[in-house]
Amino acid sequence: MRKYLIPLCALGIITSMMSSADDAQAKKRGSRGSAAASYEIEFRSRPTNWVGHSYVVARKRNGAGRTTMRKVAGFWPDPTIPRIMVPFGSRGVVEARGDGNHTTTKMFRVRVYRSTFERVVSKMNHIARRRPTYNPFDQNCNTFVAVVARTAGVKAPRDYFQFPDSYVAQMQTMNASKTSARTRRSAQR
């Protein structure tokens, strides 16, 4: 009987330790058995018939990694305005207009807290309601991306008159240390 007592005690201790680890993981995931939601803001560029286009994707993912909310928006000249008028300033619109359907040429992603995510989505909606003037030289899609980026606490170049690919790449370079620090912090949690 004694020869079985030590292995049984060891088995009980190991089982208890495994149960404690499972309980700790369940607490991290929350009461519904899934990890906490994550929030991301992506700054992207894509090709167009002209010079390209930059836009923003705000995404909320559930604990299983599935997207539960997605807002895509870019700043464009109003399509009802004749193209000849665009260089002189025309009414702008904030909408997706096919942004999710094209190949992304550059992308820069940051993870943010829920409060920052909500501020970013609110800012995107505010700009869409305001319908600012679009001007290709100083009030264009890069300007919109910069306003959203700064709302998220991300650095953005002040030179808006450049190709969208270059603009997004420059943003990524300006925020390289910040992004890697956020990635390290989220990996430690």
Side-chain angles (χ1 to χ4, degrees):
M1 183 75 167
R2 272 194 168 165
K3 67 180 182 178
Y4 296 112
L5 189 59
I6 293 175
L8 284 176
C9 287
L11 181 63
I13 291 170
I14 291 171
T15 305
S16 172
M17 288 170 48
M18 289 173 59
S19 174
S20 297
D22 289 344
D23 290 345
Q25 286 180 345
K27 280 183 182 177
K28 272 186 179 178
R29 285 193 305 256
S31 60
R32 288 184 276 156
S34 63
S38 63
Y39 303 89
E40 303 169 343
I41 310 296
E42 291 178 355
F43 305 97
R44 297 180 177 186
S45 64
R46 69 172 183 82
T48 64
N49 293 337
W50 292 33
V51 296
H53 178 59
S54 58
Y55 61 103
V56 179
V57 177
R59 181 182 296 119
K60 175 183 175 183
R61 295 180 189 267
N62 66 13
R66 291 194 180 95
T67 300
T68 57
M69 188 222 168
R70 182 173 184 236
K71 179 154 181 82
V72 181
F75 185 52
W76 296 85
D78 188 328
T80 62
I81 305 292
R83 287 192 185 247
I84 192 79
M85 298 303 294
V86 170
F88 306 106
S90 64
R91 191 158 115 180
V93 293
V94 174
E95 58 184 35
R97 270 195 39 199
D99 287 332
N101 303 330
H102 293 277
T103 304
T104 301
T105 52
K106 291 281 184 202
M107 184 188 70
F108 166 55
R109 176 186 302 150
V110 292
R111 292 187 70 172
V112 295
Y113 294 109
R114 179 181 176 180
S115 58
T116 304
F117 177 83
E118 290 169 351
R119 267 195 324 272
V120 164
V121 171
S122 176
K123 181 59 113 177
M124 291 165 74
N125 292 334
H126 172 75
I127 295 170
R129 283 189 306 273
R130 196 172 54 102
R131 295 183 64 112
T133 300
Y134 181 94
N135 180 309
F137 305 106
D138 62 1
Q139 188 74 13
N140 55 37
C141 57
N142 291 337
T143 312
F144 172 75
V145 165
V147 169
V148 173
R150 291 187 188 109
T151 302
V154 175
K155 296 175 188 171
R158 297 243 181 238
D159 177 16
Y160 309 121
F161 188 60
Q162 57 180 301
F163 290 110
D165 284 353
S166 302
Y167 193 80
V168 174
Q170 194 175 354
M171 280 181 66
Q172 189 169 14
T173 302
M174 291 173 73
N175 293 282
S177 62
K178 186 178 212 176
T179 306
S180 58
R182 283 185 185 176
T183 305
R184 281 194 302 271
R185 273 200 310 261
S186 62
Q188 290 171 352
R189 290 184 186 163

